[in-house]
Amino acid sequence: MSAMQAAGARARSNIALVKYWGKTAGTLNVPAVGSISITLDALWSDTEVAFDPALASDELVLDGKPRPDGLGRVSACLDILRDMAGIGTRATVVSRNNFPTGAGLASSASGFAALVGAGARALGLDLSPKELSIVARQGSGSAARSIFGGFVEMRAGTNADGRDSHAEPLLPGREWPLDIVVAVTATGEKPVGSGSGMRRSARSSPYYGSWLETHPPDMELCRKAIHARDFEALAEVAEASCLKMHAAAMAARPALIYFNGVTVEGIGLIRELRRSGLPVFFTVDAGPQIKAVCAPDARAAVRDALAGLPGVVETIETGLGPGLETRECAS
Ligand code: DP6
């Protein structure tokens, strides 16, 4: 390659309704369990990748700042694409999130999906969404899901080479519009990232085995609830999967407690709102933010209730969003 080759991509963040927590052995980042997620419209990463023969090494600029600390995972992901294209050219990656990075709002999901989308397009690789999902998974498990919009299922797969470990669409968002209110309860990077949290849970939590064993029925309940548009059933399985994941994490040694006090208050508040007839449920990932999923006509009431909770710093509202979008970009 003699000239610079560049492209851009936007990928949205997603949140899991049935959680991914745990990896299989090996270096391919194959999840130990499947997962089901919704892609969010208003939280995204915009990424440009430019392969430049003049570069001696890859470069990463995230939210305007050089981030050499993030290069290991980014370069490893670009290496997969470089191998496919049969080149060794290094790249500059410039990425921007429109939401706080690393605070449990799944910036790695949108970030790695956008990286893979932009990188593949820049190299002229004609990859299917499934192939993009397989590459994105190796950057971050949840990124495999951000290739698709609406309701998405990640299949853990059984092949040792990870070729069947990818996401696929379950239902377009317009078929069952739901809204999400994120209540930010703390800003700043989380203390233990999901990858190391998963490994610690697998190594030391007495409940990790039960987590794995009881996971498949939750996947089935969730698929059924989505296909039947059954909000109550979805609420029940999503809250149960979230709390099981956290229970397994909390019982690890040292303990992984991602909740803060406001998270717990928020969970109580959302359960009360649902008991009083509002269609809303909660989910929480590897950070203290509360994600409330609700019917669109309940959104204002959910937002007002969460915004009024002492300790909530900010609320972010969104509907369901589309999958990966890529574009040409001036090089
Ligand atoms: C709690 O996708 O961040 O958000 O594969 O190590 O990058 P890596 O993990 P990551 O884990 C997400 C964990 C979760 C649950 C979920 O999104 O399913």
Side-chain angles (χ1 to χ4, degrees):
M1 187 166 69
S2 55
M4 192 142 99
Q5 283 180 276
R10 172 172 294 185
R12 269 91 182 164
S13 179
N14 72 73
I15 51 174
L17 304 177
V18 174
K19 301 294 184 194
Y20 149 47
W21 195 252
K23 299 170 191 284
T24 61
T27 56
L28 291 166
N29 203 37
V30 174
V33 290
S35 51
I36 294 176
S37 62
I38 43 181
T39 301
L40 309 181
D41 196 35
L43 282 74
W44 67 71
S45 300
D46 263 331
T47 302
E48 294 191 357
V49 178
F51 291 91
D52 181 352
L55 290 172
S57 56
D58 291 328
E59 289 171 6
L60 172 66
V61 178
L62 184 55
D63 291 328
K65 293 191 200 85
R67 289 288 298 263
D69 55 316
L71 261 179
R73 282 170 84 184
V74 165
S75 290
C77 216
L78 289 176
D79 283 344
I80 300 169
L81 298 174
R82 281 188 278 249
D83 281 353
M84 288 176 167
I87 61 147
T89 314
R90 304 287 111 184
T92 302
V93 177
V94 179
S95 189
R96 190 176 63 84
N97 295 322
N98 74 336
F99 58 93
T101 300
L105 290 178
S107 57
S108 72
S110 53
F112 280 97
L115 173 77
V116 169
R121 178 154 180 167
L123 291 173
L125 293 168
D126 188 20
L127 302 185
S128 66
K130 173 180 149 180
E131 290 168 311
L132 290 166
S133 179
I134 289 169
V135 182
R137 182 204 80 230
Q138 293 171 74
S140 178
S142 52
R145 303 185 306 233
S146 275
I147 300 296
F148 301 98
F151 296 80
V152 179
E153 172 164 356
M154 174 75 194
R155 296 193 173 276
T158 52
N159 281 12
D161 65 2
R163 291 298 301 171
D164 59 348
S165 179
H166 58 82
E168 59 194 24
L170 264 186
L171 187 76
R174 63 174 179 280
E175 300 280 330
W176 192 16
L178 293 177
D179 282 350
I180 297 91
V181 180
V182 180
V184 179
T185 65
T187 51
E189 309 246 335
K190 61 192 168 210
V192 181
S194 358
S196 37
M198 288 178 200
R199 279 184 285 269
R200 188 189 297 177
S201 303
R203 211 170 41 235
S204 64
S205 173
Y207 304 142
Y208 183 71
S210 311
W211 160 254
L212 296 183
E213 257 169 52
T214 60
H215 194 274
D218 289 346
M219 292 290 287
E220 186 52 23
L221 285 171
C222 188
R223 270 184 224 114
K224 279 199 180 133
I226 289 168
H227 288 303
R229 324 286 198 269
D230 183 339
F231 191 90
E232 265 303 314
L234 188 65
E236 206 279 328
V237 70
E239 291 187 352
S241 176
C242 166
L243 292 176
K244 268 200 290 182
M245 177 203 116
H246 283 279
M250 279 182 204
R253 296 191 181 182
L256 290 158
I257 305 177
Y258 289 109
F259 296 175
N260 61 27
V262 189
T263 320
V264 178
E265 291 295 328
I267 288 174
L269 175 64
I270 290 167
R271 282 161 63 89
E272 226 164 77
L273 291 175
R274 189 156 85 259
R275 267 198 298 274
S276 73
L278 215 59
V280 59
F281 63 86
F282 69 83
T283 190
V284 182
D285 293 303
Q289 325 308 359
I290 306 156
K291 288 113 183 202
V293 182
C294 63
D297 55 8
R299 171 168 163 173
V302 170
R303 181 234 300 129
D304 290 350
L306 284 171
L309 188 67
V312 168
V313 188
E314 186 193 352
T315 56
I316 303 168
E317 296 171 56
T318 177
L320 301 185
L324 175 73
E325 295 162 339
T326 65
R327 58 181 186 276
E328 293 295 320
C329 98
S331 48

